[in-house]
Amino acid sequence: MSRIAGRFQQLAAQGRKALVPYIVVGDPDMALTVPLMHALVAAGADIIELGVPFSDPMSEGPVIQQAHERALANGARLRDALDMVAAFRQRDADTPVLLMGYANPVEHMGYAVFADRAAAAGVDGLLTVDIPPEEVAGVNAELHRVGLDNIFLVAPTTPDARIKAIVDQASGFIYYVALKGVTGAGNLDAADVARHLDLIRAHTPLPLAVGFGIKDAASARLVGASADGVVVGSALVDRVARAAAAGADHDALLAAASGLVAEIRAGLDSIAS
C-alpha cells in the first residue's frame, strides 16, 4: 500500500477528512519551502502537495501563476522539488508528498529517470495537469515500477464515460475540481459537489479530494461533508504572498500559513464531532 493510500485509510478509520495544502516550490523564496512543509504538517496537514514551477501553468489563476513566476525567478526547478522532498524526509518519514505540475519538466527529465529520482527522494505521487488518460501509459509504467501513485483531475464538465477512463488509470486518490475555470475562481456549490462525487464513486473506490475554492474553515466543512479530503491552494499561497509583500520574516510567514491550515483543520474535524 502506498503512503497516500495508507493515509486515507487511516483517516477513514478515524472518521476524519484529509487536508492537503498546496504550495509552490521556491515561493516566496527557496529557503522557506522545507520549513513550510514541516509547519503545515504541524498545523494539521495530512498530505503535502508541492507545485513544480512551470512557465505556463495553464490551469492556475492569477495567485498561483504569480507564485510560479516568483519561484522561477528564484531559480526553482523540478530537480529542486526533488531535493526539497529529500530534505523534508530527513525529519518526516510519514507524511505523503505529492508533486503537482505539468508534463514538460517530467518529460524533459525522462519518465524513468524522474521515477527513480522521485522515489529515492521520498515522493509518493505525481499529478500532471496536461497528460490525458489516453497518453499516460508511459509515465504510469514508470511510476508504478517504483511504487508512486498517479493522481488525476476530474472536472464538473467531465462526461461520465470519460470519468471511467480517467479513474481506471489513477491510483492514490482522485482530485475533483469543484469549480469550472482556473484555481481561485468562483464560489462553491456544496450540493453540486456532492452530486458529482456520487457520480465519480460509481466508477471507483479511490478516495475523492476536492480542490479549487477551498479558502477557509467554512468552505472546507461544506465540501468535506461529502468528500474524503480537501485541497487548499490559492488561499494559502495568497496568505503567504501577502505576508511576504508586507515584509514578514520567515517565522511570521510560517505562522501565517500555519494559522490558515489550523483553521481549516478545525473546520474539517468539526464534521466528525
Side-chain angles (χ1 to χ4, degrees):
M1 179 182 297
S2 71
R3 211 160 8 204
I4 291 173
R7 180 56 55 93
F8 273 104
Q9 185 179 83
Q10 176 189 37
L11 290 167
Q14 297 169 350
R16 301 174 71 224
K17 309 292 185 171
L19 174 51
V20 187
Y22 167 95
I23 58 174
V24 178
V25 169
D27 176 55
D29 62 58
M30 298 288 279
L32 189 71
T33 299
V34 174
L36 183 53
M37 293 170 71
H38 288 300
L40 296 176
V41 173
D46 298 296
I47 299 170
I48 300 294
E49 184 179 7
L50 286 182
V52 177
F54 187 58
S55 58
D56 185 23
M58 59 187 177
S59 76
E60 315 297 355
V63 169
I64 294 180
Q65 283 188 11
Q66 290 164 13
H68 279 253
E69 291 170 4
R70 290 190 296 268
L72 290 170
N74 290 334
R77 302 293 186 270
L78 175 57
R79 62 181 179 274
D80 300 295
L82 298 175
D83 289 344
M84 289 177 185
V85 175
F88 174 76
R89 287 286 174 233
Q90 293 177 13
R91 284 178 45 198
D92 189 325
D94 299 320
T95 303
V97 177
L98 164 69
L99 296 186
M100 188 273 198
Y102 296 82
N104 185 272
V106 177
E107 291 176 348
H108 182 74
M109 182 175 286
Y111 291 157
V113 173
F114 168 79
D116 288 337
R117 291 184 181 177
V123 173
D124 297 289
L126 175 69
L127 192 164
T128 44
V129 174
D130 51 347
I131 301 183
E134 295 84 1
E135 299 174 14
V136 79
V139 67
N140 250 0
E142 297 300 337
L143 294 178
H144 294 166
R145 175 177 60 82
V146 296
L148 270 65
D149 287 317
N150 199 359
I151 315 301
F152 279 82
L153 298 169
V154 173
T157 55
T158 305
D160 193 63
R162 186 156 183 81
I163 291 174
K164 181 172 181 359
I166 290 170
V167 301
D168 284 350
Q169 299 296 330
S171 59
F173 68 95
I174 299 297
Y175 185 140
Y176 177 67
V177 177
L179 302 171
K180 299 175 184 177
V182 296
T183 54
N187 295 308
L188 285 169
D189 182 336
D192 188 62
V193 170
R195 181 175 66 84
H196 278 93
L197 295 182
D198 285 343
L199 293 175
I200 299 168
R201 287 194 176 100
H203 296 290
T204 181
L206 289 173
L208 307 181
V210 176
F212 290 45
I214 309 299
K215 58 185 179 181
D216 52 23
S219 54
R221 187 165 52 245
L222 281 172
V223 170
S226 56
D228 300 299
V230 302
V231 181
V232 55
S234 293
L236 178 59
V237 171
D238 185 56
R239 179 168 291 198
V240 174
R242 288 179 181 273
D249 63 16
H250 274 196
D251 287 343
L253 294 176
L254 296 177
S258 297
L260 179 59
V261 169
E263 173 192 336
I264 294 175
R265 175 79 271 163
L268 288 175
D269 287 345
S270 72
I271 297 169
S273 62

